[in-house]
Amino acid sequence: MSISILLITTIVFFFVVGLPLCFSVDQRYEKCLSSPLRCGHKPSVFSNNITYPFWGADIDKPVYCGRPPFELSCNDDYQTLTLEIADLMLRVVSTKQENNTITVADESLFEDGGCPKTWDFNGDDQFTLNPNTEKMDLHTCSDPNISTTSLPNITCTGSDGYKITYLFLPPNVSDHGYKKAGEIPVLKSAKNALHDFETTLMEALQGGFELRYIIDDQVCRDCTNSTGVCGSDSTSGKFRCLCPDRPHKSSCKDEG
């Protein structure tokens, strides 16, 4: 083969094979844009595939699609998303990404005979209780002569294997003869419904409560306004704007 033919062949091969690789879309951008965050075949609780700052190592949503503290996982039957905060496993009930709100419920409440866990939580660096959430006292009955059937209650199996009944006391019921077991967060609407005996205690607790998650909204907005997807650096955890060409520091328009 002559040198000229070899040169032409090489040039053609470069344009046919090399150029598509040079101009291909960055895989991280494509992954975070197209991969849903869900368990099994159930619909995702997120409105679209862009779920920043949440991600899931075992749900095909890499850490660079979110921020390290916001990892979600699947529960044992691989049907629902769960979030762990302060050693409490929470089921993700719904999300409102437009106002950085996530509704969660104690995963124990969905187990057969599972008891609710009291939770002394006022917020951390990632989450705060949303104004739609209030803490509610749960009581146990310390007087065997008092009937509890007329009060919202849950009978479940405690960690020691014994049955225990938790009660909600409406404002007009004296706490004499009852012992406070702890606090648990619920939606204000659910608490009001319990006051009026319009729902059961289990329904109120399984409805969950709202948490507001804390992110830098402005830098993420700058990224999305430049057609990027909010994400992070896999090593440092710092914010990165994932763009079609490569990750940038804050938006697809900067040089980083």
Side-chain angles (χ1 to χ4, degrees):
M1 182 182 292
S2 67
I3 295 177
S4 59
I5 295 176
L6 180 62
L7 179 61
I8 292 172
T9 303
T10 302
I11 293 172
V12 171
F13 180 83
F14 171 79
F15 275 95
V16 172
V17 178
L19 280 182
L21 291 176
C22 293
F23 292 95
S24 62
V25 176
D26 185 86
Q27 291 184 353
R28 288 159 291 191
Y29 169 83
E30 202 167 42
K31 184 72 170 178
C32 298
L33 189 64
S34 61
S35 180
L37 185 52
R38 67 185 180 192
C39 297
H41 300 290
K42 297 185 69 174
S44 175
V45 295
F46 292 90
S47 58
N48 53 52
N49 292 343
I50 301 174
T51 61
Y52 181 86
F54 298 98
W55 61 284
D58 60 346
I59 323 174
D60 200 29
K61 195 77 168 182
V63 63
Y64 56 73
C65 294
R67 299 297 300 275
F70 295 90
E71 183 178 9
L72 300 180
S73 57
C74 293
N75 65 353
D76 291 338
D77 62 5
Y78 211 77
Q79 292 299 312
T80 54
L81 288 170
T82 55
L83 170 69
E84 186 175 359
I85 302 178
D87 298 325
L88 183 65
M89 194 61 68
L90 302 166
R91 174 175 295 194
V92 182
V93 178
S94 64
T95 61
K96 295 178 183 176
Q97 292 170 269
E98 64 276 8
N99 60 1
N100 297 353
T101 301
I102 183 170
T103 302
V104 295
D106 181 357
E107 181 68 17
S108 303
L109 296 166
F110 300 91
E111 300 171 359
D112 187 25
C115 281
K117 292 182 173 62
T118 56
W119 200 37
D120 183 19
F121 179 80
N122 294 305
D124 57 21
D125 292 339
Q126 285 77 48
F127 297 94
T128 59
L129 295 177
N130 205 49
N132 289 337
T133 294
E134 286 188 354
K135 291 186 177 181
M136 180 180 74
D137 291 338
L138 289 182
H139 289 78
T140 57
C141 185
S142 57
D143 187 343
N145 297 317
I146 298 178
S147 174
T148 60
T149 56
S150 61
L151 298 174
N153 66 84
I154 293 175
T155 298
C156 53
T157 304
S159 57
D160 57 3
Y162 289 97
K163 294 288 185 181
I164 184 171
T165 298
Y166 288 106
L167 307 157
F168 170 72
L169 304 183
N172 60 339
V173 176
S174 170
D175 62 359
H176 179 71
Y178 301 97
K179 179 182 178 181
K180 181 179 175 179
E183 295 179 331
I184 192 166
V186 293
L187 294 172
K188 281 184 180 179
S189 56
K191 189 174 181 180
N192 291 335
L194 281 170
H195 286 171
D196 299 329
F197 295 92
E198 295 176 350
T199 188
T200 66
L201 182 54
M202 181 61 81
E203 289 172 340
L205 296 180
Q206 286 184 340
F209 56 94
E210 289 186 357
L211 291 172
R212 182 173 176 81
Y213 52 90
I214 303 166
I215 59 173
D216 189 335
D217 292 301
Q218 186 57 55
V219 70
C220 187
R221 195 176 299 115
D222 292 342
C223 174
T224 56
N225 286 343
S226 68
T227 69
V229 178
C230 300
S232 67
D233 181 88
S234 298
T235 303
S236 67
K238 293 181 178 180
F239 179 87
R240 289 291 181 268
C241 182
L242 307 179
C243 303
D245 60 342
R246 67 187 188 283
H248 291 244
K249 288 184 178 179
S250 57
S251 80
C252 297
K253 298 178 181 178
D254 66 33
E255 298 178 357

